[in-house]
Amino acid sequence: MKLVSAARGGRRKLVLHKELTDLPMLLTQAVADVRANLPAKRYTLEMANRLTDGQVEVDPTCLRNVFAQLLENALKYSDEGVHIEVRLEETNEGWVTVSVTDNGWGIPRKCLKKLFGEYYQVPRAEGRAQKGYGIGLTYARYVVRAHGGDIRVESREGTGSTFSVRLPRK
């Protein structure tokens, strides 16, 4: 699904099946997905829910995939024992933000502008290269924008990354 969605990117509009969804529960499900796919890696995960109301109108399947992708990346691009923090926050203007922060390898500054591009992978030193197609973050941006939101990254090489997904409540 991700490969097809990413490949058609800006050429075809994504059809969303929005429904009222409990965002904290959706994130819990994404965490379970990642735990099932990467069970051998040691890590700690902390979730901080600062939402007064966790209900948002989204396509739960698409967003669950986005959050699972961000969590999977946090694990893939880090050493054993990585710490991941997931924060849910809201603004008075009707937006919610989900941030995934890790203390992994981080991303070189020169790579940040290309990060969401199709098939782009951050060049890694021998022993840190990871398998993949370079479509996960392209897919994430595509889905988040289809929801009327935005995705951003802050990162420093050697200290980790924070990916923030900002979504309208409705």
Side-chain angles (χ1 to χ4, degrees):
M1 162 109 169
K2 283 187 211 172
L3 186 58
V4 172
S5 295
R8 69 181 184 199
R11 293 180 287 285
R12 218 164 129 202
K13 187 173 175 152
L14 179 63
V15 178
L16 298 174
H17 301 285
K18 290 184 177 183
E19 58 187 68
L20 206 54
T21 302
D22 184 270
L23 194 56
M25 180 60 69
L26 189 70
L27 279 157
T28 300
Q29 292 167 344
V31 167
D33 293 345
V34 172
R35 283 190 173 136
N37 290 336
L38 298 168
K41 186 125 186 193
R42 269 187 322 105
Y43 63 93
T44 57
L45 190 137
E46 177 184 347
M47 195 173 308
N49 181 1
R50 296 190 177 101
L51 298 178
T52 55
D53 175 11
Q55 298 294 307
V56 290
E57 193 171 324
V58 297
D59 183 316
T61 303
C62 287
L63 274 184
R64 182 174 171 173
N65 288 336
V66 166
F67 297 135
Q69 180 67 53
L70 296 179
L71 292 163
E72 186 177 307
N73 283 357
L75 287 170
K76 274 176 62 174
Y77 301 105
S78 62
D79 295 319
E80 286 287 325
V82 64
H83 178 74
I84 301 168
E85 181 182 0
V86 178
R87 274 189 319 270
L88 294 86
E89 301 173 299
E90 60 190 320
T91 67
N92 293 334
E93 295 84 32
W95 294 87
V96 296
T97 302
V98 177
S99 300
V100 177
T101 301
D102 66 67
N103 63 345
W105 302 338
I107 302 161
R109 187 175 191 175
K110 67 182 181 184
C111 299
L112 291 175
K113 286 187 179 183
K114 303 175 196 173
L115 198 60
F116 294 99
E118 284 185 52
Y119 312 113
Y120 181 76
Q121 292 183 303
V122 174
R124 299 286 180 187
E126 190 71 32
R128 285 196 165 179
Q130 297 291 323
K131 293 181 181 179
Y133 297 103
I135 59 168
L137 292 177
T138 305
Y139 170 80
R141 181 180 65 179
Y142 181 52
V143 168
V144 171
R145 285 185 173 174
H147 279 85
D150 192 24
I151 184 169
R152 296 172 189 225
V153 62
E154 292 178 24
S155 186
R156 285 187 33 206
E157 192 170 16
T159 61
S161 303
T162 298
F163 285 85
S164 298
V165 174
R166 186 171 172 250
L167 296 165
R169 259 206 196 275
K170 295 189 182 203

